[in-house]
Amino acid sequence: MSRLKIRKTNYEKKKEKVENLIKAHEYKKMIYYPLLLSFILFLVLIIPIINQGINYKNIFFKVGNIQISETEYNYYRNYIVNSWIDNNEEKIKEIGLDINKDFNKQQYNDYWTWEEYFEYQTANLIQQTKIFINGAKEKQFKFNTEKKYKEFKNQLNEAAKLMNMNLTTYIKDRFGEKATINELEKIIKEQYLAFAFYEEEKKEDKLNEQELNDYYYENSADYDSVDYRYFSISADEYQDAKQLADKFELEITNESSFTDLCIKYAKEEDKEKFKDEKYSKAINITKNQLSDEYRSFLFSSREEGDTTVVYNATENTYDIIYFIKRYLDDYDVYSFRQILLKENSSISMNKLKEKWENSDKTEETFIDYVKKYSQDTSSIKNNGLYEKKSYGSMISEINDWLYSQSRKIGDYGNISTKNGEIFIYITDKQEAEWKKNARKTIQTKDFDEWLKEEKNKYPITDPNKNLKYLTDNKKDKK
């Protein structure tokens, strides 16, 4: 049966054109602390919801001593509302919000209407923006907003044309009767500057190696890894699963005996798998990857060879665990491209190396060689690329080559393996994962503390009582 084709109205066609135009913009999704916002996406959408719930009176409030105009409030409110709708599109019905009805008449919680909730988010985003602007001035941070604003204005003009409006009329329709292009320009440029400042603060590394190491020693359990062996006995399949697990544990004398016992206690169809000693071994496992039962055993004070039996409620199994070691994975992380040559390859490794030595030795040239010669079916679609590989996550021959000496981007070499000859080229090198995670944690904590202090310096006040969420009986009822 063919589907009934519904014709779109002119309004819907225009709306779709604008949506497609804005979706193509490079700033569709940007992270703006601490909210996930669509930076440009919904600023000019032709959606009736945009002006719902607002009475266009002289809305303003203050951030510190900075007065916020009606236009600025409306701009950020549109931004907040439509970003929220975009990010929660699939859950709106479940939440119980009707975006086609007045937000003032729909409850967000026992204290706030949805309009008051959006007021709260809008006011806080404006406060945050003003704090970032001041931070940029204090740190003499510079960012060219002119080019970004021109892109935005061109987008705005295009949207106005699609709605058959001139720019002045369109701006008033979107952001209130008092809105002007000059005021909107100031708002947009400030937002670009604020976001650029935040991005710069996020990536600024203020920690030296000693500070990083000191932080690690205070929080080692959050960054250490463990190696261990485990074997599971199903309570669904064996009534005496706990007794079998206890018996297994009593028979362990060393790591080698554990692998032998895995074969002994495995079901007949699984015995072959456990003949590979790697099958029962878990390596480089961090604390947050483990269940509570495993974590409490493996990350308490342990010596190699310690064992226990834990109940795994998720799988309904009794698991025997053998502790091997706990350590910090302090190895650099590499990305590389490789060419695999097998016996039937169209070129020998010596010929390939000779060809490479006579080339410009760039990544682009290496990619060309991958396309022509590599027989690695698992990576050929990615032009031979393997990304962010850490110590122990690769075959031993590649692992040994990468970590046998200090490697750098652009290093290359050939490696012999049981599957053939590999020619390898390093494309990226990053510091150990724990260092990146620790830096991020510390920077986020420092940034949060700074922002909290700045919010105390730049409080939100509402002398004209325009923000309903700030009334005495509704403060802080999020």
Side-chain angles (χ1 to χ4, degrees):
M1 181 184 292
S2 61
R3 292 188 178 182
L4 178 65
K5 189 172 182 180
I6 301 173
R7 295 183 63 184
K8 295 179 181 177
T9 63
N10 288 335
Y11 170 85
E12 288 171 328
K13 289 177 182 177
K14 288 177 181 178
K15 176 178 176 291
E16 186 176 53
K17 283 182 181 179
V18 177
E19 286 175 336
N20 290 336
L21 169 74
I22 298 171
K23 282 178 182 177
H25 198 278
E26 64 175 313
Y27 292 100
K28 180 183 175 185
K29 294 281 187 187
M30 298 179 89
I31 303 296
Y32 199 108
Y33 186 94
L35 299 170
L36 177 63
L37 298 173
S38 303
F39 192 75
I40 295 296
L41 179 61
F42 285 107
L43 299 183
V44 290
L45 278 182
I46 317 302
I47 297 179
I49 193 70
I50 279 186
N51 294 329
Q52 250 192 35
I54 288 189
N55 296 315
Y56 281 112
K57 58 185 179 180
N58 186 27
I59 293 178
F60 75 92
F61 61 95
K62 295 173 77 174
V63 174
N65 292 321
I66 305 167
Q67 289 197 0
I68 307 303
S69 70
E70 174 186 348
T71 301
E72 189 163 14
Y73 176 83
N74 291 337
Y75 168 85
Y76 279 101
R77 179 197 176 273
N78 292 355
Y79 187 38
I80 285 289
V81 172
N82 288 301
S83 296
W84 186 92
I85 291 170
D86 181 39
N87 292 325
N88 294 280
E89 186 176 2
E90 296 179 359
K91 297 186 290 185
I92 288 176
K93 287 185 179 178
E94 180 185 330
I95 291 169
L97 176 65
D98 188 339
I99 62 175
N100 296 308
K101 292 182 180 178
D102 190 341
F103 293 157
N104 282 301
K105 297 177 181 178
Q106 301 182 72
Q107 287 298 126
Y108 168 74
N109 60 20
D110 292 341
Y111 302 94
W112 286 355
T113 64
W114 273 96
E115 187 58 46
E116 289 162 344
Y117 168 75
F118 289 130
E119 279 181 355
Y120 168 79
Q121 296 289 359
T122 301
N124 276 270
L125 180 57
I126 293 173
Q127 179 193 39
Q128 200 166 266
T129 301
K130 299 303 179 184
I131 288 171
F132 291 166
I133 292 298
N134 186 67
K137 288 177 181 175
E138 286 182 351
K139 295 193 174 185
Q140 298 183 325
F141 174 77
K142 303 295 181 184
F143 180 77
N144 185 358
T145 60
E146 200 62 44
K147 181 181 176 182
K148 298 296 183 186
Y149 174 71
K150 284 180 181 177
E151 292 173 0
F152 171 81
K153 190 175 179 182
N154 289 337
Q155 187 186 42
L156 207 59
N157 276 312
E158 190 66 29
K161 286 177 185 177
L162 287 170
M163 293 303 292
N164 295 320
M165 295 180 183
N166 61 44
L167 185 59
T168 301
T169 304
Y170 183 78
I171 288 171
K172 291 181 182 299
D173 181 69
R174 295 294 91 194
F175 307 110
E177 286 299 319
K178 295 182 180 180
T180 66
I181 187 62
N182 288 338
E183 187 176 10
L184 199 58
E185 178 179 356
K186 178 177 180 293
I187 294 167
I188 299 299
K189 286 182 175 179
E190 274 196 352
Q191 194 177 32
Y192 275 120
L193 177 60
F195 182 79
F197 172 75
Y198 167 60
E199 286 288 281
E200 186 65 24
E201 286 294 294
K202 261 204 327 180
K203 71 183 181 183
E204 187 178 345
D205 185 8
K206 302 171 184 175
L207 300 172
N208 59 41
E209 282 296 313
Q210 186 58 51
E211 289 172 321
L212 202 57
N213 287 329
D214 290 344
Y215 178 80
Y216 162 72
Y217 287 118
E218 292 173 6
N219 303 274
S220 60
D222 293 331
Y223 299 99
D224 278 352
S225 297
V226 290
D227 293 352
Y228 61 94
R229 291 190 179 276
Y230 66 102
F231 183 84
S232 301
I233 299 177
S234 173
D236 292 330
E237 298 179 16
Y238 298 94
Q239 288 185 346
D240 58 345
K242 176 66 167 66
Q243 289 82 358
L244 286 171
D246 290 339
K247 184 181 177 186
F248 185 117
E249 184 187 13
L250 286 172
E251 294 179 38
I252 300 169
T253 56
N254 54 33
E255 188 177 356
S256 178
S257 73
F258 189 98
T259 59
D260 292 338
L261 288 166
C262 287
I263 300 170
K264 175 182 174 180
Y265 280 83
K267 293 185 293 185
E268 201 60 42
E269 61 267 29
D270 292 334
K271 289 185 184 294
E272 195 62 35
K273 296 175 185 175
F274 283 101
K275 288 180 181 178
D276 180 354
E277 62 90 20
K278 294 178 182 177
Y279 196 73
S280 64
K281 190 174 185 179
I283 63 170
N284 203 11
I285 307 299
T286 56
K287 189 176 179 180
N288 61 3
Q289 293 175 281
L290 296 166
S291 67
D292 290 342
E293 296 79 14
Y294 273 62
R295 188 185 301 132
S296 62
F297 173 72
L298 292 167
F299 277 87
S300 57
S301 181
R302 290 279 156 242
E303 293 182 359
E304 183 178 356
D306 284 354
T307 63
T308 193
V309 174
V310 300
Y311 175 63
N312 183 341
T314 304
E315 301 295 332
N316 195 23
T317 59
Y318 287 92
D319 299 352
I320 306 96
I321 307 173
Y322 181 98
F323 179 82
I324 300 173
K325 63 178 177 177
R326 172 177 161 178
Y327 56 96
L328 177 65
D329 180 2
D330 202 20
Y331 291 97
D332 292 328
V333 178
Y334 288 98
S335 295
F336 57 88
R337 295 187 189 274
Q338 72 172 41
I339 300 168
L340 174 63
L341 301 182
K342 298 181 179 179
E343 287 185 1
N344 60 348
S345 174
S346 62
I347 189 171
S348 68
M349 180 57 72
N350 286 337
K351 286 287 185 184
L352 180 60
K353 284 163 51 180
E354 182 182 343
K355 193 177 177 70
W356 172 256
E357 292 294 346
N358 291 324
S359 73
D360 57 9
K361 299 180 183 177
T362 62
E363 186 175 357
E364 289 73 21
T365 297
F366 197 91
I367 290 172
D368 287 340
Y369 291 174
V370 170
K371 292 175 180 177
K372 289 178 183 177
Y373 306 119
S374 184
Q375 295 171 289
D376 181 9
T377 55
S378 60
S379 72
I380 192 71
K381 290 181 180 178
N382 294 326
N383 295 321
L385 182 63
Y386 288 87
E387 291 187 284
K388 296 181 180 179
K389 295 297 180 181
S390 57
Y391 184 85
S393 65
M394 302 152 284
I395 62 171
S396 59
E397 294 89 347
I398 293 178
N399 196 83
D400 292 345
W401 184 85
L402 283 172
Y403 293 100
S404 61
Q405 59 182 325
S406 180
R407 301 288 181 185
K408 62 183 184 299
I409 296 173
D411 280 0
Y412 57 88
N414 62 293
I415 304 164
S416 296
T417 75
K418 63 180 182 181
N419 294 320
E421 294 286 315
I422 290 176
F423 196 45
I424 189 171
Y425 177 90
I426 296 176
T427 61
D428 188 39
K429 179 180 180 180
Q430 297 180 12
E431 68 180 356
E433 197 68 26
W434 82 266
K435 289 183 178 179
K436 289 196 297 181
N437 292 336
R439 289 183 199 280
K440 184 177 179 181
T441 298
I442 297 168
Q443 287 166 347
T444 299
K445 181 175 177 288
D446 290 347
F447 188 84
D448 285 348
E449 290 174 355
W450 171 80
L451 187 60
K452 186 177 180 179
E453 290 175 5
E454 292 300 304
K455 282 186 175 184
N456 290 331
K457 295 178 187 176
Y458 293 88
I460 295 170
T461 55
D462 183 26
N464 286 355
K465 309 294 182 186
N466 291 314
L467 299 177
K468 295 176 185 175
Y469 88 90
L470 280 178
T471 56
D472 290 339
N473 65 328
K474 293 192 175 186
K475 287 180 182 179
D476 301 320
K477 304 293 186 182
K478 302 175 195 127

